Amino acid sequence: MHVLILGGTGEARRLAELLAGTARPDLRVTTSLAGRVAAPRTPPGELRVGGFGGAGGLADWLRGHAVDALVDATHPFAAGISRNAARAAAATGVPLLALRRPGWTPVEGDRWHEAGSLTEAAALLPALGTRVFLTTGRMGLAAFAAPDGLWFLVRSVEAPEPPYPPRMEVLLDRGPFSLAGEREVLRRHRIDVLVTKDSGGAATAPKLTAAREAGLPVVVVRRPPLPAGVPVACDPLDAVRRLAL
């Protein structure tokens, strides 16, 4: 049996580890990474790096490599890849499973402002603060280049490329992040508003707690919906069960 994991997340790596630990000689696991990070954390099993060339290219790869099951374990905001996975699965008849960690939910004391896109998030900022902790990654920073009078602390794994905000400082770091560390970031940079995508999970959640403690507003960009009809596993163990290995 050949399982192809569309990866790039901690959940994808953990799923590959679980599958590799089944001790089944007839089980082949391949993880595909987009190649946007120069030094990714590589999972066990076979590895391929780079795009497929759209849904058609992915369908050809599924056929050519005799894939029996496809798992979309990409980032919750990788909507284009998820669409291509659904189309390729439909074209080839390969079963598709989406692995998605649950999103965050606000609790008492949170001051959340939801946005449907990065552009909507940027439009909310002038009314909320002037020193912005931007934790949406290095892609899509052009959406925040227009607002005047704002300063941005941009945290990402790798340095962003223009266009990006004219007044910003880049903090290169990779999660998981501690609560103490997030408190210090907010304090040291005098942050008064946080912007994040609803990526979910525990690795980057401490920033939400730190913002709540400090009484800061948080702009949360909502996730794009998954393609209709795709079954969803909430964690890697659930994915293994659903794959019926």
Side-chain angles (χ1 to χ4, degrees):
M1 182 173 184
H2 187 190
V3 178
L4 174 62
I5 303 171
L6 305 180
T9 60
E11 288 78 16
R13 189 170 60 254
R14 179 56 181 154
L15 176 59
E17 292 170 351
L18 289 173
L19 295 179
T22 60
R24 278 187 51 175
D26 63 331
L27 179 60
R28 177 185 174 193
V29 180
T30 302
T31 298
S32 176
L33 302 179
R36 291 176 178 171
V37 177
R41 296 171 177 172
T42 56
E46 300 177 35
L47 181 68
R48 72 169 303 281
V49 178
F52 291 95
L58 176 54
D60 290 342
W61 203 96
L62 296 177
R63 297 187 189 100
H65 293 80
V67 173
D68 298 289
L70 175 62
V71 181
D72 173 14
T74 57
H75 192 276
F77 283 81
I81 299 175
S82 295
R83 285 193 298 270
N84 288 341
R87 292 167 181 164
T92 60
V94 173
L96 171 63
L97 175 68
L99 172 54
R100 289 290 186 276
R101 54 185 176 247
W104 293 315
T105 55
V107 300
E108 185 177 356
D110 281 327
R111 298 174 56 197
W112 285 17
H113 302 262
E114 291 194 353
S117 65
L118 293 178
T119 300
E120 287 185 19
L124 293 174
L125 291 178
L128 298 175
T130 59
R131 296 185 65 83
V132 184
F133 186 19
L134 190 57
T135 64
T136 56
R138 66 188 180 94
M139 309 297 290
L141 294 184
F144 300 92
D148 294 328
L150 302 182
W151 177 89
F152 293 85
L153 176 65
V154 176
R155 183 165 68 190
S156 63
V157 176
E158 295 186 348
E161 298 179 356
Y164 43 60
R167 299 178 61 222
M168 75 170 192
E169 179 178 334
V170 177
L171 178 60
L172 298 181
D173 205 354
R174 186 200 299 261
F177 302 105
S178 69
L179 178 56
E182 299 292 61
R183 288 168 175 159
E184 177 59 19
V185 168
L186 298 183
R187 185 200 64 80
R188 184 170 69 250
H189 295 280
R190 296 180 287 115
I191 299 299
D192 55 18
V193 59
L194 167 68
V195 180
T196 184
K197 292 178 177 177
D198 181 17
S199 56
T204 59
K207 63 189 173 188
L208 300 174
T209 303
R212 184 188 316 124
E213 292 177 347
L216 301 184
V218 179
V219 178
V220 181
V221 182
R222 295 188 299 271
R223 295 181 177 189
L226 279 169
V230 177
V232 181
C234 62
D235 59 49
L237 283 173
D238 186 27
V240 172
R241 287 191 293 268
R242 289 172 177 266
L243 288 171
L245 298 175

